[in-house]
Amino acid sequence: MNDLVCIRKDEPMTTSIQVAEMFHKRHSNVVRAIEKNIKALLKNEQRSGDRKMYFATREKMTDGQMHKIYYMNRQGFELLAMGFTGEDAFIWKVKYSDAFKAMEKIIAERHTTAWIETRKQGMLVRKDETDVIQKLVEYAKEQGSGHADMLYVTYTKLANKMAGITKRNEATTAQLNDLSTMERLIAKVVLDGMAAGLHYKEIYKNCKERLETVKGWLIAS
């Protein structure tokens, strides 16, 4: 659900692109509605000071071109979504409300000592894991792999997926702990696999199976 909302300027936000996609609207129409809101707010001298609702930027889209998009906080989204009607729109408003609340909790948690220390420890575990993956890259090249350097991304995606996170800086303390567990296990299985002379693809298969088992234990606990 947090795919709907990201962290920007240490605040939960969504984008005009995301809103257009979820509410089945043309992006240009969403941008037009946002800019109408901005003009109305400025005209009424609302939110024209320190706290803004909408933040314009330019980003590359799927067509390869740079386009103007808007990031918006919860208030900006709620103001925009007031004009969206229908049963589907209602459902997505609820989903966005839940996503904003969840991300607000994560942001609050990120400022706690527990989260900060867990993140620091996780970075050390990550470094140990990447050192092992570096050895695996060379090992895979010796076995004829032409894309061995992609193993960093492959194993990162695997660990993130099994820990239930998309972005590490948007994870809870519990998720960060689960991630470290996954990365420690990856390092061990990879080292054991190389020591046994297994093919690098077999090592990945073993890692995935072991992590799926551990994920089941973590969910059940």
Side-chain angles (χ1 to χ4, degrees):
M1 182 175 293
N2 274 351
D3 289 344
L4 299 177
V5 178
C6 63
I7 297 176
R8 185 178 172 88
K9 299 180 183 293
D10 204 33
E11 186 176 9
M13 295 193 188
T14 189
T15 69
S16 52
I17 287 290
Q18 184 76 285
V19 170
E21 180 180 351
M22 296 301 104
F23 287 88
H24 304 292
K25 296 182 179 296
R26 291 178 60 87
H27 182 243
S28 58
N29 290 340
V30 172
V31 167
R32 191 176 299 112
I34 289 172
E35 292 178 342
K36 182 179 178 181
N37 286 348
I38 292 172
K39 288 180 181 179
L41 290 167
L42 291 173
K43 181 179 180 180
N44 290 280
E45 297 182 350
Q46 298 289 324
R47 301 297 179 188
S48 59
D50 295 335
R51 186 174 177 82
K52 293 175 61 178
M53 295 184 188
Y54 304 105
F55 305 84
T57 186
R58 297 185 69 83
E59 293 184 6
K60 185 176 290 187
M61 307 274 272
T62 54
D63 62 1
Q65 301 299 312
M66 299 297 290
H67 292 268
K68 182 178 183 179
I69 72 167
Y70 280 94
Y71 281 83
M72 68 197 85
N73 60 20
R74 177 200 277 267
Q75 289 177 304
F77 168 77
E78 290 175 347
L79 184 62
L80 174 66
M82 285 175 62
F84 301 160
T85 59
E87 184 176 348
D88 286 345
F90 174 79
I91 292 172
W92 279 109
K93 287 178 187 179
V94 172
K95 288 183 178 180
Y96 266 100
S97 178
D98 290 343
F100 271 106
K101 287 178 182 177
M103 193 61 78
E104 285 165 359
K105 289 181 179 179
I106 290 174
I107 291 173
E109 188 175 355
R110 289 199 331 170
H111 294 286
T112 65
T113 300
W115 190 94
I116 293 169
E117 290 303 315
T118 301
R119 184 74 176 106
K120 286 181 181 177
Q121 291 300 314
M123 290 178 180
L124 295 176
V125 173
R126 170 65 172 170
K127 183 181 184 305
D128 289 342
E129 182 208 22
T130 54
D131 288 345
V132 171
I133 299 302
Q134 175 60 47
K135 295 177 183 177
L136 179 63
V137 167
E138 298 305 318
Y139 182 85
K141 287 179 179 178
E142 291 175 359
Q143 293 184 335
S145 173
H147 305 283
D149 289 332
M150 291 300 296
L151 289 171
Y152 291 105
V153 175
T154 300
Y155 277 91
T156 296
K157 288 182 177 179
L158 177 62
N160 285 351
K161 180 180 179 181
M162 293 301 173
I165 67 176
T166 302
K167 298 178 181 178
R168 299 179 181 217
N169 280 336
E170 296 179 5
T172 64
T173 304
Q175 287 174 325
L176 289 176
N177 279 321
D178 289 349
L179 179 62
S180 290
T181 297
M182 299 299 180
E183 291 182 329
R184 288 190 184 98
L185 184 56
I186 285 173
K188 183 180 186 308
V189 174
V190 168
L191 288 172
D192 289 348
M194 289 191 294
L198 300 179
H199 192 273
Y200 74 94
K201 290 184 178 179
E202 184 70 18
I203 293 174
Y204 176 79
K205 179 181 177 182
N206 290 346
C207 274
K208 186 176 180 182
E209 290 176 351
R210 291 285 298 278
L211 265 61
E212 286 174 342
T213 299
V214 171
K215 179 182 178 182
W217 292 342
L218 292 172
I219 292 173
S221 62

